[in-house]
Amino acid sequence: MKEIDDFREAGKIAAKVREASKKLIMVDASLLDIAETIEQMIEEEGAKPAFPVNISINEIAAHYTPEYNCEKTLQEGDLVKIDLGVALNGALSDTAYTLDLSGSAEHFIKAAEDALNSAISSIKPGVSVGEVGGVIEDSIRKHNLKPIANLTGHQISSNSLHAGVELPNIKTNNPYRFKEGDVFAVEPFVTDGAGYVEDLEQVEIFALYAPGKIRLRQSRKIVEHVWSKYGFLPFAERWIRKEFKSKLLVSAALQELLETHTLRAYPVLREVEKGRVAQMEHTVLVTENGCEVLTK
Ligand code: CO
């Protein structure tokens, strides 16, 4: 099937870029450089980023991507999560890894890795997402760490990164059963904190949500631009600031687009007790008897 071929290809590209990107993760590296380089690597493969590259450090679990003028660099002691996605002809893939610049967090990474592998071994048609959540939770608790209960994996479909069904990282009663042909992002998050994340005020990632009543001309221009370039896929404020030169107008427009719910915001997520967080992620295709890792 043509569509499945595109999902396989999107997965292959994501895996290739993921592996190549690991050499960028070192002390003193600029976050902005890392994000832009990875996004460029995806484009060089003939694809597009499915969302802005997330670089989430230590107690930040997800949804941080550098600001347009970010001057931050990686520090000794950082636990660094890189989450990237590839879009190819509507097919999407999503993969993530964690690197430890501290020398003291290898067990976080091992726990996330084991949880991911256990989940992958247990996914097959007829098994419920709640059961797989239990497998992930048990695997993480064996390492004396906690799963993050309010972050989940997610079903993926053409042009839709979050296609309805969630794959929890804890045991739940969610009765949805995997079926052949389903594509899911599996992403265990582990922490030594409370096991929950909260929204910070900072938002760097947005996506089109629904048509709203817009007043500003600049807002309408941004909506047209986002729709034609990204559709419903997430985009970064820094992308828009590159594409629209006037800094002041972009700020006012994004503000209006959020207030009118034309855009949805993905706030930066932080572990509530500021525990350190590690994450591993693959995209899988459910097959007749199990699942195929598309981002291997
Ligand atoms: Co991801």
Side-chain angles (χ1 to χ4, degrees):
M1 204 205 294
K2 180 73 182 75
E3 197 196 20
I4 293 292
D5 288 346
D6 283 334
F7 273 91
R8 287 204 170 95
E9 187 58 26
K12 241 185 233 169
I13 292 170
K16 183 178 174 188
V17 171
R18 180 191 66 224
E19 293 310 308
S21 74
K22 289 180 179 171
K23 67 173 189 294
L24 304 169
I25 311 306
M26 59 177 93
V27 174
D28 290 338
S30 137
L31 300 194
L32 190 54
D33 275 356
I34 293 170
E36 289 186 334
T37 303
I38 296 174
E39 287 161 3
Q40 197 183 328
M41 289 161 100
I42 294 170
E43 302 217 359
E44 280 164 7
E45 295 293 327
K48 296 252 182 268
F51 51 85
V53 169
N54 287 208
I55 307 176
S56 304
I57 299 172
N58 299 331
E59 71 272 18
I60 302 302
H63 297 172
Y64 175 77
T65 198
E67 305 83 359
Y68 73 100
N69 57 354
C70 175
E71 291 184 348
K72 284 180 279 224
T73 56
L74 292 179
Q75 305 295 308
E76 227 171 282
D78 282 348
L79 187 59
V80 187
K81 296 163 288 296
I82 301 289
D83 195 334
L84 62 105
V86 166
L88 185 74
N89 304 326
L92 305 171
S93 63
D94 189 347
T95 187
Y97 63 93
T98 303
L99 284 182
D100 175 27
L101 302 178
S102 75
S104 68
E106 281 305 321
H107 62 295
F108 286 73
I109 298 176
K110 183 78 173 75
E113 228 165 43
D114 283 354
L116 178 56
N117 290 334
S118 308
I120 287 168
S121 306
S122 68
I123 292 174
K124 60 179 180 187
V127 173
S128 77
V129 293
E131 284 171 68
V132 175
V135 168
I136 291 172
E137 176 169 11
D138 289 346
S139 176
I140 293 171
R141 290 198 188 275
K142 272 185 202 147
H143 289 268
N144 288 320
L145 290 167
K146 288 176 195 155
I148 294 189
N150 59 343
L151 280 176
T152 68
H154 45 96
Q155 192 175 17
I156 295 176
S157 62
S158 290
N159 294 308
S160 177
L161 205 51
H162 290 260
V165 182
E166 292 184 340
L167 171 56
N169 289 318
I170 54 168
K171 181 159 183 55
T172 72
N173 294 323
N174 188 330
Y176 180 86
R177 290 179 192 282
F178 290 103
K179 57 181 196 314
E180 193 176 348
D182 281 353
V183 176
F184 269 83
V186 188
E187 49 180 332
F189 287 83
V190 312
T191 183
D192 59 352
Y196 291 90
V197 291
E198 61 189 355
D199 290 356
L200 295 187
E201 247 171 58
Q202 186 179 12
V203 180
E204 296 297 331
I205 301 175
F206 303 86
L208 268 185
Y209 182 63
K213 261 199 191 141
I214 306 169
R215 197 175 44 83
L216 298 173
R217 201 171 71 95
Q218 182 77 353
S219 301
R220 279 195 288 270
K221 274 170 70 178
I222 287 179
V223 169
E224 269 172 40
H225 173 81
V226 166
W227 175 244
S228 67
K229 210 158 172 205
Y230 310 118
F232 287 116
L233 292 177
F235 62 90
E237 178 164 340
R238 68 183 153 80
W239 293 358
I240 299 299
R241 285 191 185 268
K242 235 181 211 176
E243 292 150 2
F244 290 82
K245 295 298 175 208
S246 167
K247 309 282 179 242
L248 217 69
L249 285 176
V250 169
S251 299
L254 287 177
Q255 185 66 29
E256 179 180 40
L257 292 171
L258 283 178
E259 280 166 6
T260 55
H261 304 287
T262 311
L263 293 183
R264 61 162 296 179
Y266 295 88
V268 176
L269 299 173
R270 186 179 67 193
E271 212 288 323
V272 296
E273 282 182 356
K274 298 190 184 170
R276 288 194 286 177
V277 178
Q279 169 205 20
M280 288 291 192
E281 180 179 21
H282 273 311
T283 300
V284 305
L285 168 68
V286 181
T287 56
E288 196 186 338
N289 302 311
C291 71
E292 175 186 333
V293 179
L294 298 178
T295 49
K296 205 168 203 150

